[in-house]
Amino acid sequence: MTNTGIQSSQQVTDSQYDIIRLKGVGPRIAMRLEKLAIRTVQDVLFHLPLRYEDRTRVVPLGSLRPGAQAVIEADIDLAEIAFGRKRMLLCRISDNTGSLLLRFFHFSAAQKNQMQRGIRIRCYGEIRPGKKGLEMIHPEYTILNDEVVTDVEQTLTPIYPTTEGVHQVKLRDLTDQALALLDGGDVTLQEWLPASLTKKMNWPSLRDAIITLHRPLPDMELDSLIEGKHPLQQRLAFEELLAHHLSLRQLRFRARHHHAPSLPAAGFYATQFRGSLPFTLTTAQQRVIDQIEEDLNQHRPMMRLLQGDVGSGKTVVAACAMLAAVDAGYQAVLMAPTEILAEQHLQTFQGWMEQLDIQVAWLSGKIKGKARAAVLEQIASGAAQLVIGTHALFQEQVDFHNLALVVVDEQHRFGVHQRLSLREKGRQGEQRPHQLIMTATPIPRTLTMTAYADLDCSIIDELPPGRTPVQTVVLPETRRAEVVERVHTACAGGSQIYWVCTLIDESEVLQCQAAAETAEQLQQALPGLRVGLVHGRLKPAEKEQVMARFKAAELDLLVATTVIEVGVDVPNASLMVIENAERLGLSQLHQLRGRVGRGSRQSHCVLMYRAPLSRTARSRLAIMRETNDGFVIAQRDLEIRGPGEVLGTRQTGDMNLRMADLLRDQALLPQVQQLSEQLIQQQPQAVNAIIRRWLASGTRYGDV
Ligand code: ADP
Ligand code: MG
């Protein structure tokens, strides 16, 4: 091969790479199209419009509405250059129903000269309200002349996603050619959806859907098309979701062929541990532990997502799983997202493991030098049976002696890629460790079915007995004095209080400053109280000391930034005040609120906001007042903010949906799931074809 990459003649004649069949596509354009993941004529057909413009009808000036895009045709009454703050060409036009002003900021002398009184002009652009009636700013336009009749467009104008060097006109030309090939039978699109399904849903054929979406006729309902709810789009959205689902299922299927150490249940340590607990497990905990034990007993890696609301008792479930590893002579690791949380786990585990004489190693980024070398040595030699640390554990070179289980706590912002790389990092020879991912931010079922289709899912849907639901009130910042009084009363009644300061979008330094100031003010207002302060800029030892004092009830009031969001467990705390609550996400508020209501005392949460509240903000805070159910909150959050926000952008970025919208199309998901099982079992050849069609190179999620 003399040339590189796609310029090589070998590759361009490859049928996998037939885009150069189209006129006007040489190596240079082909290379650019690669950026849009277009390599074949089929890819062109599946490069669907982002939106449409209606240039099929000329709208009379009298019936234009501001905000709309429209084609207009009218006569020029007056064209003049205005010298205001900016030089511009103003052109007043009219038809027999009304008039309109065109504004051009960039124009040539030739353009100015074209625009003579009496000339007929056709424009396309957005209608805006101006000081003296409606305007169009910089419309696309054609001067009409009597000799040549220029028709308006016959179909709605598709607007495609573009890339550098391949613009709308080019993409329209390529789709024209591809559609012609499809029409002539030179290219065929294999229909993979069963006829029974398309019939039941009243969906068109794939071929019709593709043709119409590229060149929709003007009499189509533009509204449903714009909302993405047209049967044509639903047909394709379904297949796209199917492709994603299949790809994740495939991933899971491949992982099944990896080897993992089998860890039998009910070994010595696990049994001892269960017997030593001061409480009985809830039914939900027991059920989940059974599911996990069954997985761990297999010779293939467990990949399980454990969801459980704040305080539902996930830690003890993790401990049971980890002890199964120890019982079988292996190591297990538990990772948490923050130092505070990891430290808390360390304390919990040390308490539990001491009596069992199990060695727990602690690794955080802050442990340096000789101490670090010693810990790494313990982990490498296998002297450390359990390892606890932050997520940083896996970002560096830590060698395990024989790792059998990785537990990741409180991590819902983990994309597919991170999950994969995690599994790879714990690999030893042909063996992969089992994986348990725990999250307290409930993920609505619709999302677990898509974004997490590579994982099995367990849910703890029950809180330990004796908890009373937190009562929540929403108050404006102007009633701060009352809130301070409430803190006073709560403290006098023997309970402890969290006061959370939030400053969103500000630097960490400012956040910490704000928290420090609040702590000072509160101390002045409440001189009898013992006030502590934690924020992200304290040294870990300082943080730990403050937290330990709060836990030991040596502090009454803990002023904190959102660093206390996850996991911290102080059952005697029964009042939480959150400032600027309107600026936090619902799931985050739910997490924070979960810090109280852990004891038997009635707990309260005060959400303070700064007026005025937007309608959405008001309804979001109302949800917090109405329910303590994390799943309800997550579902409402999903409806209000969309999946990107709820899952974290990474997650949905991974999915990169073109036609489908997880929220809008969630009703399709059960059927997607069903058909995907069916295809995997009965039509394996369809699986790759569908994935290939929708997921660029067909290996979006990779095969690690
Ligand atoms: P989370 O699911 O939020 O991580 P934790 O594991 O921190 O919850 O548990 C919260 C508290 O509930 C801890 O103090 C834990 O010891 C306690 N707990 C866990 N399971 C039970 C149970 N079955 N009965 C009573 N208390 C429990
Ligand atoms: Mg926890």
Side-chain angles (χ1 to χ4, degrees):
M1 277 196 282
T2 46
N3 277 328
T4 53
I6 56 170
Q7 291 179 26
S8 101
S9 59
Q10 221 174 338
Q11 262 175 300
V12 286
T13 52
D14 187 340
S15 66
Q16 287 282 299
Y17 207 112
D18 68 350
I19 185 72
I20 44 99
R21 284 174 72 181
L22 301 183
K23 278 193 241 58
V25 182
R28 220 164 42 109
I29 296 288
M31 202 119 68
R32 289 176 184 166
L33 287 171
E34 181 93 26
K35 291 219 174 73
L36 294 170
I38 295 178
R39 294 177 176 183
T40 64
V41 175
Q42 175 176 283
D43 291 340
V44 174
L45 292 171
F46 277 83
H47 190 69
L48 294 159
L50 287 171
R51 58 188 176 84
Y52 302 93
E53 289 175 353
D54 187 357
R55 305 184 185 201
T56 62
R57 308 177 286 131
V58 175
V59 182
L61 297 189
S63 42
L64 290 174
R65 262 174 300 151
Q69 313 250 350
V71 182
I72 53 171
E73 240 179 68
D75 296 324
I76 297 177
D77 298 332
L78 181 73
E80 58 178 6
I81 294 178
F83 298 91
R85 249 185 313 155
K86 243 180 174 175
R87 183 171 165 271
M88 67 178 108
L89 175 61
L90 295 179
C91 182
R92 180 148 296 278
I93 58 173
S94 66
D95 61 9
N96 51 16
T97 67
S99 74
L100 181 117
L101 187 70
L102 308 177
R103 279 179 200 273
F104 297 90
F105 296 105
H106 310 282
F107 54 93
S108 64
Q111 273 175 304
K112 157 80 178 78
N113 288 336
Q114 269 185 319
M115 303 216 180
Q116 297 293 333
R117 183 183 168 82
I119 294 279
R120 199 157 177 77
I121 188 170
R122 180 186 296 155
C123 308
Y124 179 83
E126 187 185 329
I127 317 296
R128 304 202 193 188
K131 281 204 191 86
K132 296 180 192 160
L134 298 178
E135 303 184 349
M136 260 190 195
I137 295 168
H138 261 289
E140 293 172 40
Y141 72 91
T142 356
I143 300 286
L144 301 174
N145 73 44
D146 296 336
E147 283 123 62
V148 192
V149 181
T150 328
D151 283 335
V152 285
E153 304 285 334
Q154 295 303 303
T155 63
L156 293 172
T157 306
I159 306 296
Y160 291 103
T162 53
T163 183
E164 206 173 322
V166 188
H167 297 297
Q168 289 304 329
V169 179
K170 186 79 189 169
L171 285 165
R172 260 173 238 162
D173 171 51
L174 295 180
T175 38
D176 273 339
Q177 294 186 52
L179 289 167
L181 289 173
L182 181 64
D183 198 39
D186 294 317
V187 170
T188 47
L189 292 176
Q190 174 83 39
E191 181 76 64
W192 293 113
L193 301 191
S196 56
L197 176 69
T198 46
K199 202 165 155 214
K200 185 176 108 197
M201 305 300 280
N202 219 349
W203 284 337
S205 69
L206 177 62
R207 187 171 177 280
D208 287 351
I210 292 280
I211 293 175
T212 318
L213 283 176
H214 281 290
R215 300 291 178 265
L217 295 170
D219 60 359
M220 273 182 63
E221 287 170 55
L222 194 58
D223 284 347
S224 75
L225 205 57
I226 285 167
E227 285 171 24
K229 288 183 184 156
H230 199 285
L232 295 161
Q233 288 156 310
Q234 291 287 291
R235 159 71 184 76
L236 292 176
F238 183 91
E239 196 176 294
E240 181 174 34
L241 290 170
L242 183 67
H244 279 272
H245 200 263
L246 286 170
S247 151
L248 286 169
R249 291 296 312 233
Q250 210 172 42
L251 204 67
R252 171 158 135 165
F253 183 75
R254 287 192 191 128
R256 288 254 155 95
H257 292 286
H258 290 147
H259 196 79
S262 157
L263 313 172
F268 173 77
Y269 289 123
T271 312
Q272 289 285 101
F273 173 67
R274 295 277 287 269
S276 73
L277 287 174
F279 46 74
T280 26
L281 296 172
T282 61
T283 319
Q285 282 171 319
Q286 186 56 59
R287 186 187 61 235
V288 166
I289 290 173
D290 290 345
Q291 290 166 346
I292 293 173
E293 283 178 349
E294 164 127 27
D295 281 2
L296 293 178
N297 204 13
Q298 311 298 317
H299 285 281
R300 51 169 201 243
M302 167 174 80
M303 284 172 290
R304 193 167 277 281
L305 177 70
L306 171 56
Q307 300 187 57
D309 213 342
V310 234
S312 61
K314 294 184 292 296
T315 319
V316 78
V317 172
C320 289
M322 293 168 83
L323 287 176
V326 178
D327 271 323
Y330 289 93
Q331 292 171 298
V333 59
L334 169 62
M335 294 189 291
T338 65
E339 291 270 332
I340 286 194
L341 191 50
E343 283 163 18
Q344 184 172 292
H345 279 319
L346 177 69
Q347 283 170 17
T348 309
F349 274 78
Q350 275 173 338
W352 284 335
M353 301 305 152
E354 201 169 16
Q355 38 179 336
L356 298 176
D357 208 18
I358 289 176
Q359 296 307 307
V360 183
W362 160 244
L363 191 63
S364 101
K366 305 288 157 59
I367 297 180
K368 301 245 162 31
K370 271 192 186 149
R372 182 173 202 83
V375 176
L376 289 175
E377 166 55 28
Q378 281 175 6
I379 298 174
S381 71
Q385 293 153 290
L386 298 182
V387 181
I388 293 177
T390 56
H391 290 169
L393 253 179
F394 261 100
Q395 266 136 37
E396 50 192 307
Q397 280 311 314
V398 180
D399 283 324
F400 286 86
H401 176 62
N402 57 1
L403 182 64
L405 170 66
V406 178
V407 182
V408 186
D409 191 20
E410 309 282 2
Q411 187 52 282
H412 75 294
R413 285 172 199 282
F414 239 42
V416 178
H417 295 295
Q418 287 107 313
R419 290 206 287 276
L420 288 175
S421 73
L422 199 64
R423 214 176 292 152
E424 275 313 291
K425 279 184 178 150
R427 172 181 187 163
Q428 280 179 327
E430 279 311 294
Q431 297 219 41
R432 296 333 194 249
H434 297 281
Q435 236 181 69
L436 181 65
I437 295 172
M438 306 199 292
T439 172
T441 306
I443 304 160
R445 200 176 135 62
T446 46
L447 293 187
T448 48
M449 284 196 302
T450 42
Y452 289 92
D454 62 323
L455 299 177
D456 296 304
C457 189
S458 294
I459 298 177
I460 307 184
D461 51 4
E462 178 187 358
L463 293 180
R467 305 267 170 91
T468 34
V470 181
Q471 281 183 7
T472 300
V473 290
V474 178
L475 291 178
E477 156 71 32
T478 47
R479 290 171 64 182
R480 197 184 179 87
E482 277 170 56
V483 178
V484 172
E485 188 47 41
R486 231 177 140 139
V487 169
H488 187 226
T489 317
C491 177
S495 78
Q496 291 170 278
I497 302 107
Y498 291 104
W499 187 293
V500 184
C501 303
T502 63
L503 271 182
I504 302 297
D505 297 333
E506 305 280 0
S507 71
E508 203 193 1
V509 180
L510 286 180
Q511 290 215 25
C512 300
Q513 257 174 24
E517 278 163 26
T518 307
E520 214 162 285
Q521 285 162 9
L522 287 170
Q523 182 69 82
Q524 273 170 17
L526 302 162
L529 266 60
R530 297 163 298 173
V531 179
L533 171 68
V534 279
H535 56 63
R537 287 176 66 83
L538 289 183
K539 294 207 179 82
E542 295 170 328
K543 244 188 284 184
E544 191 177 339
Q545 203 193 359
V546 180
M547 287 309 302
R549 290 182 64 204
F550 190 63
K551 244 184 146 154
E554 291 167 24
L555 294 172
D556 305 304
L557 173 61
L558 184 66
V559 178
T561 56
T562 49
V563 295
I564 57 148
E565 182 183 345
V566 279
V568 189
D569 190 30
V570 181
N572 190 44
S574 69
L575 173 62
M576 170 170 284
V577 180
I578 304 177
E579 289 195 75
N580 299 318
E582 79 278 11
R583 299 165 89 174
L584 296 183
L586 286 189
S587 295
Q588 200 179 7
L589 285 173
H590 180 65
Q591 290 298 303
L592 283 168
R593 183 171 62 180
R595 301 303 112 220
V596 293
R598 304 194 143 225
S600 49
R601 202 194 294 261
Q602 173 64 57
S603 292
H604 298 270
C605 177
V606 179
L607 302 177
M608 276 206 285
Y609 65 87
R610 205 169 282 247
L613 274 188
S614 70
R615 267 240 317 269
T616 345
R618 190 177 297 277
S619 66
R620 294 175 55 200
L621 291 180
I623 296 167
M624 292 304 294
R625 202 175 45 213
E626 285 157 17
T627 180
N628 275 292
D629 184 329
F631 280 87
V632 174
I633 290 171
Q635 182 63 36
R636 298 289 297 275
D637 206 18
L638 176 69
E639 284 158 18
I640 295 174
R641 294 195 303 159
E645 294 288 318
V646 176
L647 283 176
T649 38
R650 263 198 200 138
Q651 200 63 248
T652 37
D654 266 359
M655 297 200 59
N656 206 2
L657 296 169
R658 288 185 265 165
M659 281 308 281
D661 177 313
L662 281 182
L663 191 55
R664 183 192 63 212
D665 303 328
Q666 52 180 312
L668 297 176
L669 293 171
Q671 229 144 5
V672 165
Q673 207 175 18
Q674 206 186 340
L675 180 58
S676 117
E677 295 307 316
Q678 191 184 320
L679 290 177
I680 288 171
Q681 281 168 26
Q682 296 166 16
Q683 259 183 297
Q685 78 281 13
V687 174
N688 279 325
I690 295 172
I691 294 175
R692 164 69 186 82
R693 195 180 261 177
W694 286 97
L695 305 185
S697 56
T699 52
R700 167 152 290 160
Y701 293 127
D703 177 25
V704 192

